[in-house]
Amino acid sequence: MSLPRRRIIRLVATIAIVTVLLGALSFPALERHYMRQQAAQDAVPLKLAVEGLRATVERYAPLPALIAERAPLVGLLNNPNDAGRIAAVNEDLRQTAATVKATDVYLMDISGLTIAAASYRDPGSYLGRNFNYQSYFTQALNGDLSSFSVYGTTTGERGYFYAAPVEDGERIIGVLAIKFNVAAFESIWRGANSEFMVTDRNDFVFMSSRPDWHFRAIRPLSDATLRLIAQNLQYPIDRIDLLPITSTPLNADAQSVYVEGTSRESFVLTSQHLPDLDWTMSALSPRRPATLNALNTLLIAGLSAGLILAALLAYFLKQARQDEAFAKEQDAKRRLEVAVAERTQDLETALGDLRQTQTDLIQAGKLSALGQMSAALSHEFNQPLAAVKSYADNATAFLERDRLSEAQDNIARISKMADRMATISSHLRNFARRPQQATGPLLLNAVVQDALAVIEMRLASEGGEIAYTPPKTEVWVTGGHVRLQQVIVNLINNALDAMEDQAKPVVRIDIDGTTLRVRDTGPGIAPARVANIFDPFFTTKAPGKGLGLGLSISYNIVSDFGGTLSATNHPDGGAIFSVALQPATPVEVAAQ
Ligand code: ADP
């Protein structure tokens, strides 16, 4: 994958922003998750608190009925003004209260007037007070053996009360009530991690570990409810007020709540309903740990995402760097290619110029050859033509004087001149059309012997000599017999020409492999001429002595055989001409 650096950074930044946004969006859900977890944990202490409350409430429920059965109570109720009985009962009730750790134990007549009380010695004693308005009293008067209710007094003291009827036979003659202080419970709850509160069926907080929540309703109370509370004097009506709680449900038993007060407090609220009492007990644990947990989780997730992003960024940037390097390399390569192409173009242009120059030179060479040929031919033909004219003139003159034999002699000379011109002409014809004769295996020695036979007459007249030792084994080469013989004769003639001024010229011929060499002891070939000797019409010989075609024709013949003809000088002087031929498979001599 390859992306430009800027796009990578933009991409990573986008991912980072999206990650942060996702984190922000998922925070509430995550926090709720931890709040539910917290609620599940809170359920345990809540359950214990509920059990404790219920156990305490139930433990004392049968107590008033038991005490009510005591005979002195009935006696006192039947004789309410008996001071002795009053004192005895008061003391009895005081001891009972001390035993069960009750706030008060007191006896009322059927009008609700308290005629004996455990607190008879205390300044705020119930003694002499009438409680006929209280529900536990009326319920007990109606025969309820374990009436129970909770009250708060004008002083803010809250108590829970049990009551039972005192019967004389079948007749209810009074009510015995026991009061416990609610604050005792609340002191147990204090110090726990959570706040606790108990609400009644009207969502009125009558117990709580938080004193500032006492006597407050967590939802607005209806007028009817408020009237009823006022009527029963159950709670101090002037202290009743609203505890503003806003809540969001987390699950069936838990909510996230805000309690508005001097400052806003956040809690996870877990509650349990006590159906028999129609109370709801709630534990409110601070929301902070759940929030911190959610933040921690997000932080860890964010850090992980950051790490992955950093790794990705590093990877992509490395990739981008590699791509850049590759692109640079490619660019350099392209530039090199362009440079090479330009150079090639230059070279081709130069080569084209060279070819043109070569063509021009060849053209110039042809013209020069043509010039040389014209000069050679005009000389070759002019000389015999001039001779023919003078012989013809002579013949005419002799005929006029009837000197027939002289005339005949001149005419014979004319014929000879014509023959000579015919010979020159045939040379030229041979040069012009190179006969495409077949080549085949030849015995090299046999060709040399035939060439020597041709040259024998000239050797005899000039006193020359051939030094030739035929090869010990048969040497078979590829060529044409007559043409190869013509080449060898030509080379021997040239060698003799080069040694013209020597009294006893010797031409050495030897065969080495399939190469035949002809060596003389003449002046050799001047270095300036080496390049030209094989050109047609190149000659250094006097007019009439050479046409300059011999080596040119020989060169082409050897080439036709697939061989090469070359010239060099011997270190001891003289020229060597080498005819290198292709070897051939021997055939029957008869086929030659
Ligand atoms: P020609 O013999 O008619 O001049 P050739 O083509 O046979 O034509 O030879 C061309 C020239 O090569 C000669 O004129 C001479 O200058 C040179 N040449 C040939 N053979 C020899 C040799 N053996 N030694 C020195 N020069 C030679």
Side-chain angles (χ1 to χ4, degrees), residues 490 494-495 498 520 524 533 538-541 546-551 575 577:
N490 189 349
N494 276 348
D520 61 63
I533 54 168
F538 175 83
T539 182
T540 54
K541 290 171 190 170
L547 259 180
L549 287 176
L551 282 181
F577 283 83

Side-chain angles (χ1 to χ4, degrees), residues 177-401:
I178 301 181
K179 177 193 176 187
F180 287 95
N181 203 333
V182 165
F185 271 115
E186 293 171 338
S187 64
I188 296 169
W189 297 338
R190 267 185 215 117
N193 210 15
S194 311
E195 303 290 359
F196 288 94
M197 68 178 183
V198 183
T199 48
D200 65 11
R201 74 174 69 85
N202 296 316
D203 285 337
F204 188 84
V205 184
F206 62 87
M207 280 192 226
S208 173
S209 54
R210 285 278 294 266
D212 57 324
W213 294 353
H214 295 160
F215 301 118
R216 298 177 81 177
I218 59 174
R219 66 176 164 84
L221 297 178
S222 68
D223 288 347
T225 310
L226 279 173
R227 255 200 311 277
L228 203 65
I229 291 171
Q231 222 169 45
N232 292 340
L233 297 175
Q234 194 182 1
Y235 301 119
I237 203 84
D238 53 326
R239 286 189 60 174
I240 289 175
D241 129 42
L242 194 67
L243 182 65
I245 285 186
T246 47
S247 69
T248 320
L250 292 170
N251 56 36
D253 299 318
Q255 311 163 39
S256 151
V257 299
Y258 291 108
V259 179
E260 309 288 349
T262 43
S263 65
R264 184 184 224 224
E265 294 174 272
S266 313
F267 294 101
V268 174
L269 183 147
T270 319
S271 54
Q272 195 179 331
H273 188 63
L274 290 79
D276 44 347
L277 296 166
D278 210 359
W279 290 354
T280 301
M281 185 160 184
S282 305
L284 294 97
S285 61
R287 177 176 169 165
R288 229 176 123 72
T291 310
L292 287 179
N293 273 338
L295 277 176
N296 273 345
T297 305
L298 272 188
L299 202 69
I300 288 166
L303 281 178
S304 310
L307 274 179
I308 292 169
L309 270 183
L312 275 179
L313 184 67
Y315 171 77
F316 281 128
L317 283 180
K318 190 181 163 201
Q319 201 75 9
R321 264 200 303 279
Q322 278 176 356
D323 287 351
E324 264 170 39
F326 181 71
K328 256 187 217 161
E329 204 176 287
Q330 289 290 311
D331 191 44
K333 218 163 142 190
R334 246 195 317 279
R335 255 184 269 165
L336 188 68
E337 274 166 10
V338 168
V340 167
E342 277 171 3
R343 228 15 108 66
T344 310
Q345 183 61 44
D346 289 351
L347 281 175
E348 266 167 13
T349 312
L351 205 65
D353 291 350
L354 194 66
R355 277 202 201 100
Q356 187 54 47
T357 310
Q358 200 180 26
T359 315
D360 292 351
L361 281 174
I362 288 169
Q363 193 57 30
K366 278 181 185 164
L367 287 174
S368 126
L370 197 66
Q372 283 175 343
M373 186 181 77
S374 314
L377 285 183
S378 69
H379 176 83
E380 283 301 315
F381 286 104
N382 275 345
Q383 198 253 342
L385 278 174
V388 165
K389 184 170 168 35
S390 76
Y391 290 141
D393 289 348
N394 289 346
T396 310
F398 285 128
L399 282 175
E400 277 170 0
R401 287 173 217 158

